[in-house]
Every structure is written in C-alpha cells, then in structure tokens.
C-alpha cells in the first residue's frame, strides 16, 4: 500500500530510467497497481526503451506514459531539459483494484472522426487520459464519453514534446505508439479526486448573454458585447485594465441553477476577437442565449491564488499533475511553482506530472480541455 514518485535528470536515458525505477522499488516495491511515466523531448526517441525497462524491472499491473516538453516530481520542475519521471500507486485489501489500460485511435471519415476504444471505458470511475494533440480529437472524444458515461471522471493531458505530427510518444502497457491516446481506467470506489485550477479571477459583474450564435456573442444584458467589454475595462483598476488588454478571458457558467457564482463554477475560455462594426465578440466555445458570463483575467498572482484555493480542503496522499506548458517560469518567473504548491498541500506526498499542450479535467462534473490551467488527480488509500 502506498504511492511513490521519482525523477532523474541523468543525461543518459538508460541511467535515468534505472534511477527512477530503483527509487520506486525502494519506496513501495515491485508490481504496483499502476505506473505512469513522463519523458522529456530529449529522450523521446528512447521512450520505447524507457518503457521496456519500466515493464521489466518494475512490472506494473497497468502502465501508461507520454512525452512532454517539461516534467515535475516532488517540489521540482525540469523545463526543456533531459528528465524521466515515474509515478506508481499500490492499493491493498478492499481497495486493491485491477486498473485497465486502454488504447484509443481516431480516423477521419469525411468531416467526422471514427473513434475506437471508447467501448472499453467503464460507465463510471476515473479515466487517466494521455493524448497526442496532432492525431487525436480530444474535445470530440471526451464530449462523446460524457454523453455516454456522465458519471465518468476524465483527467489528464496532451503530449507536448513535439511541434508536429509523429514526434510525440505514448506508452500503453508494452506498446509505444506515435498517435492516438492512451488511458488507465480506475473503477468506481478507487479513492481519487480531480481538481482543476483555471488560474483566473473575475473582473466586472456576472451578466446574461441575450444574443449569440455559435461562438459569437452579439449582446450581453441587452447591449453590444464589445461595449460591455469596454465598460468593464473603464470601471476596472489600472492593473486589471492592463491584464484585460494583454489577454481577456470569459467565464461561462455551466449550472445556471446556482444563486451565486465562484471560480469553480465557470468554464474559462479565450476572447478571440471582436467585430467593431457589429460589436460581436468571438470566444473559444459555443455560447447559448441565457448563459451567465463574467470576464476574467490571468496573471501569476491569480494563477497562484486559484491553485491554492482549488486544492484547499481536498485531501490526498499523492497526486498526478497536468499543468500547461505556458506556466512554469513563463508565467511565474521562478521555477517549481505548481510542483511546490501541490507538494506543500500534500505535506510531502508523492507528486509527479507533465507540462501539457492542453490539460484535461472536469468543471461542474463535465470534462473539458483547458489552457494555462493545472489539472490535478489526488490519490488516497482510504
């Protein structure tokens, strides 16, 4: 029973995987219920060898992995440098479970995708999902999963080591592939909990969309959407006004039955642009008339506060962390921010993760792909 995480920054992949597997064996022993490996781009070509070594030496019951531009373990983040991270979990007694490894593939059929592997996913429990952004339609996939299995939690991230098709690697048990997605399904009853921090804070007041088509918002509370943005900026303090100019976001309320709205009640999406002649504003999601929206801004302080708030009151002994490749030193200036915050929250528990080209996690019980966010899967053994 237990959890373990290890990272090696040795410049040779063979040594790095040996060090991480050795550390896991020292902490919890062989044949864990699940293992997840993250390999940085410097070792992408050696991923198959890394996975083979983990299988041979650690012999995990269920095993997946992905390549990433940067990785984290414990309180450390290694950005764009050679590193291997390995996470393992063991349950025992009544919690001992048989986690299931699943490969997912997608093929174009006209304007649609034909997805394979979805039938292997349970109707509830938790799916840890790692996907290649160049060959797999994650938005469509998790949308279909939610329609079929609304009780299923999906959490994970998109491989980020490559800038084009074929460059990423995904691990599913004894296989290493360059496309599609891989996952581990944990059945209901395994004590895990997903937490998503979108890293924003609101500006202005919540208002209702009164005219919209697709992702174009024409009117908010009876006035042109662009006028509402201008009005919000005029009423904001200079700091918020500057943040709005750098990159404005909009929060979409998913549960209109709520009387008041907090950070976890909004799905945050980018404001993509505006048409000054019509006053319509394009956002990164379709918006229905009647949706409550509130504009949002993001900076290092907001991202820090939101991550700490999202984790508050949520216990755990270990965590898998899927954070955006635009965070780290790019957002916070200093290294190790997300790893440190999660590690401090768990009081030294096992923490491992990757920097993603898109983070996957639930908002109001529904899975979404996020950007500039941190999605955390918290583990317990009780």
């Amino acid at each position: 029973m237990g959890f373990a995480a290890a990272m090696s920054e040795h410049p040779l992949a063979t040594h790095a995987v040996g060090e991480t597997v050795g550390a896991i064996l020292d902490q919890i022993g062989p044949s864990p219920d699940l293992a997840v490996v993250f390999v940085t781009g410097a070792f992408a070509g050696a991923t198959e060898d890394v996975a083979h070594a983990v299988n041979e030496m650690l012999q995990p019951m269920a095993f997946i992995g992905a390549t990433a531009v940067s990785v984290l373990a414990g309180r450390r983040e290694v950005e764009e440098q050679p590193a291997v991270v390995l996470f393992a979990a063991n349950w025992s007694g009544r919690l001992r479970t048989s986690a299931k490894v699943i490969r997912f593939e997608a093929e174009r059929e006209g304007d649609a995708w034909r997805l394979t592997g979805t039938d292997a996913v349970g109707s509830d429990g938790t799916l840890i999902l790692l996907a290649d952004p160049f060959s797999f339609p994650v938005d469509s996939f998790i949308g279909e999963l939610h329609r079929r299995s609304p009780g299923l939690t999906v959490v994970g991230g998109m491989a980020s080591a490559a800038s084009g098709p074929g460059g990423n690697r995904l691990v599913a048990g004894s296989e290493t592939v360059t496309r599609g997605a891989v996952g581990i399904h944990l059945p209901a009853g395994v004590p895990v909990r997903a937490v998503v921090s979108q890293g924003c804070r609101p500006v202005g007041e919540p208002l209702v969309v009164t005219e919209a088509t697709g992702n174009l918002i024409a009117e908010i509370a009876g006035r042109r959407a662009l006028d509402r943005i201008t009005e919000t900026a005029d009423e904001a303090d200079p700091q918020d006004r500057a943040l709005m100019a750098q990159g404005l976001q909009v929060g979409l309320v998913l549960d209109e039955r709520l009387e008041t709205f907090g950070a976890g009640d909004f799905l945050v999406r980018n404001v993509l642009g505006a048409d000054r002649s019509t006053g319509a504003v394009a956002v990164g999601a379709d918006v229905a008339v009647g949706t409550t929206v509130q504009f949002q801004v993001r900076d290092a302080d907001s991202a820090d506060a939101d991550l700490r708030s999202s984790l508050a009151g949520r216990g755990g002994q270990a965590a898998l962390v899927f954070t955006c490749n635009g965070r780290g030193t790019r957002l916070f200036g200093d290294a190790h921010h997300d790893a440190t915050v999660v590690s401090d929250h768990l009081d030294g528990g096992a923490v491992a993760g990757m920097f993603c080209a898109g983070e996957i996690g639930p908002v109001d019980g529904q899975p979404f792909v996020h950007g500039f966010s941190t999605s955390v899967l918290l583990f317990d053994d009780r």
Side-chain angles (χ1 to χ4, degrees):
M1 178 173 63
F3 307 93
M7 177 165 61
S8 173
E9 299 174 62
H10 198 285
L12 296 178
T14 52
H15 286 62
V17 68
E19 289 179 352
T20 56
V21 171
I24 299 297
L25 289 171
D26 288 343
Q27 294 176 62
I28 63 173
S31 302
D33 290 323
L34 72 84
V36 184
V37 68
F38 304 114
V39 179
T40 61
F43 292 151
T47 303
E48 187 172 6
D49 294 334
V50 169
H52 178 74
V54 173
N55 276 311
E56 287 293 311
M57 294 188 291
L58 190 61
Q59 299 182 339
M61 302 299 290
F63 176 41
I64 60 172
T67 53
V69 64
S70 304
V71 293
L72 64 91
R75 296 170 59 87
R76 284 189 51 77
E77 298 173 3
V78 175
E79 299 186 41
E80 302 182 24
Q81 297 295 323
V84 173
V85 166
L86 186 59
F87 175 88
N90 240 343
W91 290 275
S92 61
R94 65 180 181 85
L95 293 178
R96 190 90 197 203
T97 182
S98 178
K100 182 193 299 183
V101 174
I102 309 170
R103 268 198 64 194
F104 305 99
E105 295 184 356
E107 295 293 337
R108 278 277 189 191
E109 292 186 344
D111 294 332
W113 290 90
R114 181 171 62 86
L115 302 171
T116 59
T118 54
D119 292 341
V121 182
S123 60
D124 53 16
T126 300
L127 176 66
I128 305 171
L129 182 67
L130 306 176
D132 172 54
F134 302 105
S135 62
F136 196 77
V138 179
D139 282 299
S140 299
F141 174 74
I142 62 178
E144 178 178 325
L145 276 185
H146 184 66
R147 287 188 293 273
R148 295 175 52 171
S149 305
L152 178 72
T153 297
V154 186
V155 61
M158 298 166 72
S160 61
S163 58
N168 286 308
R169 302 290 187 275
L170 301 172
V171 176
S174 60
E175 293 185 273
T176 300
V177 297
T178 60
R179 56 183 292 112
V182 300
I184 287 180
H185 179 254
L186 302 174
V190 176
V192 292
R193 176 185 294 184
V195 174
V196 175
S197 169
Q198 298 179 83
C200 290
R201 59 180 171 81
V203 291
E205 298 296 325
L207 298 169
V208 175
V209 172
T210 48
E211 184 179 342
T213 303
N215 73 327
L216 289 176
I217 303 176
E219 288 186 356
I220 300 175
R223 293 187 57 192
R224 299 194 328 164
L226 184 56
D227 293 340
R228 287 294 184 189
I229 292 178
T230 302
E231 177 184 279
T232 302
D234 289 343
E235 295 176 353
D237 62 37
Q239 179 183 1
D240 285 350
R241 195 176 304 123
L243 291 174
M244 291 178 68
Q246 292 171 14
L248 184 62
Q249 319 289 317
V250 63
L252 313 174
V253 170
L254 298 178
D255 186 354
E256 294 289 348
R257 297 170 298 179
L258 299 174
E259 294 183 2
T260 59
F261 308 111
D265 302 320
F266 291 98
L267 173 65
V268 176
R269 288 294 184 256
N270 291 334
V271 173
L272 303 175
D275 185 335
R276 293 189 178 277
S277 64
T278 65
V281 173
V283 301
D286 289 350
V287 183
V289 172
T291 300
T292 301
V293 298
Q294 188 170 15
F295 295 112
Q296 311 270 330
V297 294
R298 179 187 285 119
D299 62 1
D301 290 340
S302 302
D304 172 75
D306 189 63
L307 180 57
R308 295 178 188 276
S309 175
S310 298
L311 292 169
R314 295 172 169 85
Q317 294 182 292
L320 282 172
V321 181
F322 303 94
T323 192
C324 180
N325 56 19
R327 290 172 67 105
T329 54
R330 287 183 175 86
L331 178 62
F332 297 103
D334 297 325
H336 318 306
H337 176 273
D338 289 349
T340 298
V341 171
V342 177
S343 292
D344 287 348
H345 175 74
L346 297 181
D347 194 24
V351 173
M354 62 182 280
F355 285 63
C356 307
E359 307 76 60
I360 305 165
V363 177
D364 193 37
Q366 182 174 346
F368 293 97
V369 179
H370 307 278
F372 284 92
S373 300
T374 300
S375 186
V376 182
L377 186 63
L378 296 168
F379 292 77
D380 211 337
D381 64 359
R382 293 185 291 273

